[in-house]
Amino acid sequence: MIEVLRTVDGMRRWHRQTTGTVGLVPTMGALHDGHRSLVRASKGQADRTVVSVFVNPLQFGANEDLSAYPRTFDRDVELLKEVGADAVFYPSVEEMYPRGESLTRVAVGRMGQVLCGRARPIHFEGVTTVVMKLLHIVEPDYAFFGEKDWQQLAVIRRMVEDMNVPVAVVGVPTVREASGLALSSRNQYLTPAEHRLARNLSKALEAGRSRYEAGERNRDAIRQTIWNWLQEQGLEPEYVELVDPDSLETAPRQLDAPTVAALAVRIGRARLIDNLMLGRN
Ligand code: AMP
């Protein structure tokens, strides 16, 4: 049995009546196998799993896809039943922001301004604010986030550490199609031809990794390999960067520790991101 809870009070009541540990999987719905993998990870660690489905207006910029974002709640509930989630927290915007706006915001300084933060300056403040609210509403023992959104995961880890939030943040590996394309709700925006083109995000990162594995340690050389791969396919990257996995600071010129290679590319209506870890299995 899965319970759908639409109010903060209902969610808190559910928790009071639950025994054992609770895992939270925050999502924006339009669920796919990537989300399914997060739920599985939670079920492996916590006694009960709550999935939140909330398209958070605070993390969308004025020209972004808030109104177009896919909403498939009935299908989402079926998927969550199938994978064995215990509860879905599905609040309205009014339930989450009853005053119309949240005057209080949580921000992580420069970690929210680099990488995707350059093109989306208010995005991470919106994410951290809603995740902090969800953590206070659900009070989970564990919270699960995908490595696909590496910056988001790093930002939330840092927020939890800085603010002493009593929750264990767990990162879950990226789920990909057989072609290598990372699953994303935004892949729905792609035409078949764009979808084929989008496979080059992971292929470009793999090309960078091959150079790394062949012994290349020059940051800019690896970055250039990834950039060139994309450009040769006619793609114009928004960014390609090699960064420290925790601080998100630009990696040193000569790589000497595990490094995340991350990129963003716009294809048609979709802004797609992907990343890969170099130097750690
Ligand atoms: P979203 O609904 O896109 O906001 O994503 C909700 C959670 O699912 C986030 O923690 C994402 O990082 C994670 N997620 C999205 N796509 C994937 C994927 N392909 N593999 C693993 N996790 C994912």
Side-chain angles (χ1 to χ4, degrees):
M1 232 271 288
I2 191 162
E3 283 202 58
V4 178
L5 305 149
R6 292 172 185 264
T7 64
V8 172
D9 284 350
M11 188 65 245
R12 291 206 163 118
R13 208 171 312 119
W14 179 89
H15 197 162
R16 278 198 299 278
Q17 291 163 358
T18 295
T19 51
T21 55
V22 171
L24 170 66
V25 178
T27 81
M28 298 206 298
L31 301 182
H32 50 65
D33 282 350
H35 301 108
R36 200 192 291 260
S37 163
L38 265 60
V39 174
R40 285 216 191 88
S42 175
K43 284 178 64 72
Q45 256 175 286
D47 298 315
R48 293 276 178 266
T49 293
V50 180
V51 177
S52 60
V53 174
F54 181 61
V55 182
N56 174 36
L58 218 56
Q59 70 191 64
F60 286 78
N63 302 317
E64 295 182 0
D65 57 343
L66 174 62
S67 60
Y69 198 84
R71 288 163 170 86
T72 59
F73 187 67
D74 294 341
R75 239 185 52 212
D76 292 348
V77 172
E78 289 311 310
L79 181 147
L80 292 174
K81 270 188 202 159
E82 199 185 298
V83 71
D86 298 284
V88 190
F89 180 48
Y90 182 52
S92 63
V93 172
E94 294 70 35
E95 182 68 13
M96 286 298 274
Y97 300 112
R99 300 274 196 126
E101 69 174 325
S102 182
L103 291 182
T104 308
R105 310 271 170 116
V106 182
V108 283
R110 62 180 183 277
M111 283 183 79
Q113 300 304 314
V114 297
L115 302 173
C116 289
R118 271 200 259 280
R120 308 185 75 191
I122 58 133
H123 174 69
F124 288 101
E125 188 177 294
V127 170
T128 42
T129 301
V130 82
V131 169
M132 189 69 114
K133 284 169 71 75
L134 290 168
L135 293 173
H136 282 132
I137 294 165
V138 179
E139 295 190 70
D141 300 279
Y142 307 93
F144 295 82
F145 296 89
E147 292 181 352
K148 185 200 153 238
D149 299 278
W150 188 274
Q151 184 172 11
Q152 171 171 281
L153 174 60
V155 156
I156 287 166
R157 279 194 201 285
R158 183 61 188 254
M159 171 188 87
V160 162
E161 199 181 315
D162 282 349
M163 292 288 107
N164 302 89
V165 185
V167 67
V169 175
V170 183
V172 180
T174 302
V175 178
R176 299 176 180 282
E177 294 181 3
S179 71
L181 176 63
L183 298 187
S184 163
S185 307
R186 291 190 165 100
N187 291 352
Q188 294 183 26
Y189 298 151
L190 301 170
T191 65
E194 288 167 349
H195 194 274
R196 279 194 296 280
L197 204 54
R199 294 173 186 166
N200 288 295
L201 275 66
S202 63
K203 291 205 180 356
L205 290 167
E206 287 293 351
R209 174 137 83 185
S210 297
R211 277 202 79 175
Y212 182 88
E213 284 176 356
E216 181 64 77
R217 290 293 179 274
N218 184 287
R219 177 196 68 206
D220 297 331
I222 294 174
R223 180 173 179 271
Q224 201 62 48
T225 299
I226 298 170
W227 191 282
N228 289 349
W229 181 289
L230 294 168
Q231 280 208 320
E232 279 159 22
Q233 308 303 319
L235 295 168
E236 203 53 53
E238 180 186 300
Y239 69 78
V240 174
E241 295 206 42
L242 272 68
V243 299
D244 178 90
D246 300 318
S247 70
L248 306 179
E249 305 273 357
T250 302
R253 207 170 287 279
Q254 278 298 114
L255 304 181
D256 59 359
T259 300
V260 169
L263 56 79
V265 180
R266 189 170 285 284
I267 301 183
R269 283 174 57 216
R271 181 180 174 282
L272 301 177
I273 58 172
D274 200 353
N275 70 82
L276 205 63
M277 180 76 81
L278 305 176
R280 190 190 285 165
N281 294 325

mmCIF file of all heavy atoms in Angstrom, residues 151-179:
data_model
loop_
_atom_site.group_PDB
_atom_site.id
_atom_site.type_symbol
_atom_site.label_atom_id
_atom_site.label_comp_id
_atom_site.label_asym_id
_atom_site.label_seq_id
_atom_site.Cartn_x
_atom_site.Cartn_y
_atom_site.Cartn_z
ATOM 1 N N GLN A 151 26.481 18.651 -9.206
ATOM 2 C CA GLN A 151 26.571 19.925 -8.476
ATOM 3 C C GLN A 151 25.503 19.984 -7.387
ATOM 4 O O GLN A 151 25.768 20.412 -6.263
ATOM 5 C CB GLN A 151 26.421 21.098 -9.449
ATOM 6 C CG GLN A 151 26.607 22.450 -8.780
ATOM 7 C CD GLN A 151 26.654 23.599 -9.764
ATOM 8 O OE1 GLN A 151 26.342 23.415 -10.948
ATOM 9 N NE2 GLN A 151 27.032 24.770 -9.297
ATOM 10 N N GLN A 152 24.302 19.529 -7.727
ATOM 11 C CA GLN A 152 23.215 19.521 -6.743
ATOM 12 C C GLN A 152 23.590 18.661 -5.532
ATOM 13 O O GLN A 152 23.407 19.062 -4.375
ATOM 14 C CB GLN A 152 21.955 18.983 -7.416
ATOM 15 C CG GLN A 152 20.807 18.715 -6.479
ATOM 16 C CD GLN A 152 19.547 18.403 -7.248
ATOM 17 O OE1 GLN A 152 18.899 19.299 -7.748
ATOM 18 N NE2 GLN A 152 19.188 17.140 -7.361
ATOM 19 N N LEU A 153 24.138 17.482 -5.803
ATOM 20 C CA LEU A 153 24.535 16.572 -4.729
ATOM 21 C C LEU A 153 25.614 17.227 -3.847
ATOM 22 O O LEU A 153 25.519 17.204 -2.613
ATOM 23 C CB LEU A 153 25.049 15.266 -5.360
ATOM 24 C CG LEU A 153 25.655 14.221 -4.447
ATOM 25 C CD1 LEU A 153 24.647 13.744 -3.407
ATOM 26 C CD2 LEU A 153 26.144 13.014 -5.281
ATOM 27 N N ALA A 154 26.616 17.841 -4.482
ATOM 28 C CA ALA A 154 27.710 18.466 -3.723
ATOM 29 C C ALA A 154 27.184 19.637 -2.891
ATOM 30 O O ALA A 154 27.576 19.826 -1.731
ATOM 31 C CB ALA A 154 28.802 18.939 -4.680
ATOM 32 N N VAL A 155 26.283 20.415 -3.473
ATOM 33 C CA VAL A 155 25.715 21.582 -2.803
ATOM 34 C C VAL A 155 24.890 21.136 -1.586
ATOM 35 O O VAL A 155 24.965 21.728 -0.499
ATOM 36 C CB VAL A 155 24.852 22.366 -3.833
ATOM 37 C CG1 VAL A 155 23.790 23.208 -3.173
ATOM 38 C CG2 VAL A 155 25.750 23.207 -4.749
ATOM 39 N N ILE A 156 24.129 20.067 -1.748
ATOM 40 C CA ILE A 156 23.286 19.604 -0.641
ATOM 41 C C ILE A 156 24.136 18.978 0.460
ATOM 42 O O ILE A 156 23.887 19.214 1.648
ATOM 43 C CB ILE A 156 22.180 18.663 -1.160
ATOM 44 C CG1 ILE A 156 21.154 19.521 -1.891
ATOM 45 C CG2 ILE A 156 21.534 17.884 -0.018
ATOM 46 C CD1 ILE A 156 20.194 18.776 -2.724
ATOM 47 N N ARG A 157 25.149 18.234 0.069
ATOM 48 C CA ARG A 157 26.073 17.693 1.095
ATOM 49 C C ARG A 157 26.656 18.833 1.928
ATOM 50 O O ARG A 157 26.749 18.750 3.147
ATOM 51 C CB ARG A 157 27.237 16.971 0.419
ATOM 52 C CG ARG A 157 26.940 15.575 -0.034
ATOM 53 C CD ARG A 157 28.285 14.899 -0.360
ATOM 54 N NE ARG A 157 28.155 13.754 -1.247
ATOM 55 C CZ ARG A 157 27.699 12.579 -0.876
ATOM 56 N NH1 ARG A 157 27.292 12.374 0.366
ATOM 57 N NH2 ARG A 157 27.622 11.587 -1.740
ATOM 58 N N ARG A 158 27.059 19.899 1.235
ATOM 59 C CA ARG A 158 27.686 21.022 1.927
ATOM 60 C C ARG A 158 26.687 21.747 2.820
ATOM 61 O O ARG A 158 26.991 22.128 3.953
ATOM 62 C CB ARG A 158 28.300 21.975 0.889
ATOM 63 C CG ARG A 158 29.044 23.132 1.472
ATOM 64 C CD ARG A 158 30.233 22.655 2.320
ATOM 65 N NE ARG A 158 30.814 23.779 3.024
ATOM 66 C CZ ARG A 158 31.974 24.342 2.703
ATOM 67 N NH1 ARG A 158 32.695 23.857 1.708
ATOM 68 N NH2 ARG A 158 32.419 25.363 3.384
ATOM 69 N N MET A 159 25.468 21.921 2.335
ATOM 70 C CA MET A 159 24.424 22.574 3.129
ATOM 71 C C MET A 159 24.163 21.776 4.419
ATOM 72 O O MET A 159 24.072 22.344 5.516
ATOM 73 C CB MET A 159 23.132 22.676 2.307
ATOM 74 C CG MET A 159 21.937 23.132 3.101
ATOM 75 S SD MET A 159 20.387 23.035 2.180
ATOM 76 C CE MET A 159 19.882 21.349 2.482
ATOM 77 N N VAL A 160 24.054 20.466 4.274
ATOM 78 C CA VAL A 160 23.755 19.601 5.416
ATOM 79 C C VAL A 160 24.889 19.661 6.435
ATOM 80 O O VAL A 160 24.657 19.715 7.654
ATOM 81 C CB VAL A 160 23.484 18.157 4.907
ATOM 82 C CG1 VAL A 160 23.607 17.134 6.020
ATOM 83 C CG2 VAL A 160 22.102 18.092 4.251
ATOM 84 N N GLU A 161 26.129 19.711 5.911
ATOM 85 C CA GLU A 161 27.285 19.791 6.800
ATOM 86 C C GLU A 161 27.324 21.161 7.485
ATOM 87 O O GLU A 161 27.430 21.249 8.713
ATOM 88 C CB GLU A 161 28.540 19.587 5.954
ATOM 89 C CG GLU A 161 29.752 19.203 6.740
ATOM 90 C CD GLU A 161 30.953 19.058 5.799
ATOM 91 O OE1 GLU A 161 30.820 18.441 4.719
ATOM 92 O OE2 GLU A 161 32.015 19.601 6.150
ATOM 93 N N ASP A 162 27.215 22.225 6.694
ATOM 94 C CA ASP A 162 27.298 23.585 7.252
ATOM 95 C C ASP A 162 26.209 23.839 8.286
ATOM 96 O O ASP A 162 26.425 24.550 9.259
ATOM 97 C CB ASP A 162 27.148 24.633 6.128
ATOM 98 C CG ASP A 162 28.424 24.809 5.313
ATOM 99 O OD1 ASP A 162 29.490 24.300 5.720
ATOM 100 O OD2 ASP A 162 28.351 25.468 4.247
ATOM 101 N N MET A 163 25.014 23.302 8.048
ATOM 102 C CA MET A 163 23.858 23.609 8.899
ATOM 103 C C MET A 163 23.559 22.505 9.907
ATOM 104 O O MET A 163 22.505 22.519 10.547
ATOM 105 C CB MET A 163 22.611 23.854 8.025
ATOM 106 C CG MET A 163 22.678 25.117 7.193
ATOM 107 S SD MET A 163 22.507 26.596 8.211
ATOM 108 C CE MET A 163 24.180 27.197 8.178
ATOM 109 N N ASN A 164 24.459 21.508 10.027
ATOM 110 C CA ASN A 164 24.263 20.408 10.982
ATOM 111 C C ASN A 164 22.882 19.772 10.865
ATOM 112 O O ASN A 164 22.215 19.510 11.872
ATOM 113 C CB ASN A 164 24.478 20.894 12.423
ATOM 114 C CG ASN A 164 25.852 21.477 12.612
ATOM 115 O OD1 ASN A 164 26.065 22.683 12.396
ATOM 116 N ND2 ASN A 164 26.804 20.664 12.957
ATOM 117 N N VAL A 165 22.447 19.546 9.652
ATOM 118 C CA VAL A 165 21.138 18.898 9.474
ATOM 119 C C VAL A 165 21.305 17.413 9.785
ATOM 120 O O VAL A 165 22.211 16.770 9.257
ATOM 121 C CB VAL A 165 20.622 19.075 8.023
ATOM 122 C CG1 VAL A 165 19.213 18.501 7.903
ATOM 123 C CG2 VAL A 165 20.642 20.540 7.613
ATOM 124 N N PRO A 166 20.452 16.869 10.668
ATOM 125 C CA PRO A 166 20.641 15.471 11.074
ATOM 126 C C PRO A 166 20.103 14.485 10.034
ATOM 127 O O PRO A 166 19.080 13.826 10.231
ATOM 128 C CB PRO A 166 19.874 15.383 12.396
ATOM 129 C CG PRO A 166 18.808 16.424 12.274
ATOM 130 C CD PRO A 166 19.355 17.510 11.386
ATOM 131 N N VAL A 167 20.784 14.389 8.911
ATOM 132 C CA VAL A 167 20.372 13.461 7.860
ATOM 133 C C VAL A 167 21.642 12.957 7.168
ATOM 134 O O VAL A 167 22.630 13.697 7.075
ATOM 135 C CB VAL A 167 19.434 14.164 6.840
ATOM 136 C CG1 VAL A 167 20.153 15.244 6.042
ATOM 137 C CG2 VAL A 167 18.786 13.161 5.877
ATOM 138 N N ALA A 168 21.622 11.720 6.704
ATOM 139 C CA ALA A 168 22.752 11.193 5.921
ATOM 140 C C ALA A 168 22.401 11.349 4.445
ATOM 141 O O ALA A 168 21.382 10.828 3.993
ATOM 142 C CB ALA A 168 22.987 9.728 6.276
ATOM 143 N N VAL A 169 23.243 12.087 3.710
ATOM 144 C CA VAL A 169 23.010 12.287 2.277
ATOM 145 C C VAL A 169 23.704 11.155 1.522
ATOM 146 O O VAL A 169 24.885 10.893 1.747
ATOM 147 C CB VAL A 169 23.562 13.656 1.817
ATOM 148 C CG1 VAL A 169 23.441 13.812 0.304
ATOM 149 C CG2 VAL A 169 22.830 14.784 2.540
ATOM 150 N N VAL A 170 22.949 10.509 0.653
ATOM 151 C CA VAL A 170 23.491 9.367 -0.098
ATOM 152 C C VAL A 170 23.427 9.675 -1.589
ATOM 153 O O VAL A 170 22.358 10.034 -2.115
ATOM 154 C CB VAL A 170 22.676 8.080 0.198
ATOM 155 C CG1 VAL A 170 23.292 6.875 -0.526
ATOM 156 C CG2 VAL A 170 22.583 7.827 1.694
ATOM 157 N N GLY A 171 24.564 9.545 -2.278
ATOM 158 C CA GLY A 171 24.616 9.745 -3.730
ATOM 159 C C GLY A 171 24.407 8.418 -4.443
ATOM 160 O O GLY A 171 24.907 7.391 -3.998
ATOM 161 N N VAL A 172 23.651 8.451 -5.539
ATOM 162 C CA VAL A 172 23.315 7.224 -6.278
ATOM 163 C C VAL A 172 23.830 7.365 -7.720
ATOM 164 O O VAL A 172 23.596 8.404 -8.353
ATOM 165 C CB VAL A 172 21.774 6.997 -6.269
ATOM 166 C CG1 VAL A 172 21.408 5.734 -7.038
ATOM 167 C CG2 VAL A 172 21.263 6.918 -4.839
ATOM 168 N N PRO A 173 24.552 6.344 -8.226
ATOM 169 C CA PRO A 173 25.138 6.444 -9.571
ATOM 170 C C PRO A 173 24.112 6.744 -10.661
ATOM 171 O O PRO A 173 22.936 6.377 -10.558
ATOM 172 C CB PRO A 173 25.756 5.056 -9.793
ATOM 173 C CG PRO A 173 26.001 4.520 -8.423
ATOM 174 C CD PRO A 173 24.904 5.083 -7.561
ATOM 175 N N THR A 174 24.589 7.381 -11.716
ATOM 176 C CA THR A 174 23.733 7.787 -12.839
ATOM 177 C C THR A 174 23.240 6.571 -13.615
ATOM 178 O O THR A 174 24.037 5.692 -13.962
ATOM 179 C CB THR A 174 24.544 8.702 -13.786
ATOM 180 O OG1 THR A 174 25.010 9.811 -13.028
ATOM 181 C CG2 THR A 174 23.697 9.175 -14.956
ATOM 182 N N VAL A 175 21.950 6.545 -13.885
ATOM 183 C CA VAL A 175 21.368 5.489 -14.720
ATOM 184 C C VAL A 175 21.323 6.006 -16.151
ATOM 185 O O VAL A 175 20.863 7.124 -16.401
ATOM 186 C CB VAL A 175 19.950 5.113 -14.236
ATOM 187 C CG1 VAL A 175 19.328 4.055 -15.149
ATOM 188 C CG2 VAL A 175 20.005 4.618 -12.801
ATOM 189 N N ARG A 176 21.808 5.169 -17.085
ATOM 190 C CA ARG A 176 21.926 5.581 -18.485
ATOM 191 C C ARG A 176 21.166 4.632 -19.403
ATOM 192 O O ARG A 176 20.979 3.461 -19.068
ATOM 193 C CB ARG A 176 23.408 5.583 -18.900
ATOM 194 C CG ARG A 176 24.247 6.540 -18.094
ATOM 195 C CD ARG A 176 25.733 6.466 -18.445
ATOM 196 N NE ARG A 176 26.464 7.423 -17.626
ATOM 197 C CZ ARG A 176 26.513 8.732 -17.861
ATOM 198 N NH1 ARG A 176 25.916 9.222 -18.940
ATOM 199 N NH2 ARG A 176 27.150 9.553 -17.055
ATOM 200 N N GLU A 177 20.774 5.151 -20.562
ATOM 201 C CA GLU A 177 20.280 4.278 -21.616
ATOM 202 C C GLU A 177 21.448 3.443 -22.136
ATOM 203 O O GLU A 177 22.614 3.790 -21.906
ATOM 204 C CB GLU A 177 19.792 5.108 -22.806
ATOM 205 C CG GLU A 177 18.588 5.958 -22.524
ATOM 206 C CD GLU A 177 18.159 6.737 -23.779
ATOM 207 O OE1 GLU A 177 18.778 6.549 -24.851
ATOM 208 O OE2 GLU A 177 17.224 7.511 -23.658
ATOM 209 N N ALA A 178 21.139 2.410 -22.917
ATOM 210 C CA ALA A 178 22.213 1.586 -23.492
ATOM 211 C C ALA A 178 23.170 2.449 -24.319
ATOM 212 O O ALA A 178 24.369 2.195 -24.365
ATOM 213 C CB ALA A 178 21.617 0.486 -24.358
ATOM 214 N N SER A 179 22.655 3.521 -24.918
ATOM 215 C CA SER A 179 23.493 4.395 -25.744
ATOM 216 C C SER A 179 24.452 5.242 -24.911
ATOM 217 O O SER A 179 25.320 5.910 -25.463
ATOM 218 C CB SER A 179 22.596 5.354 -26.530
ATOM 219 O OG SER A 179 22.021 6.308 -25.644
#
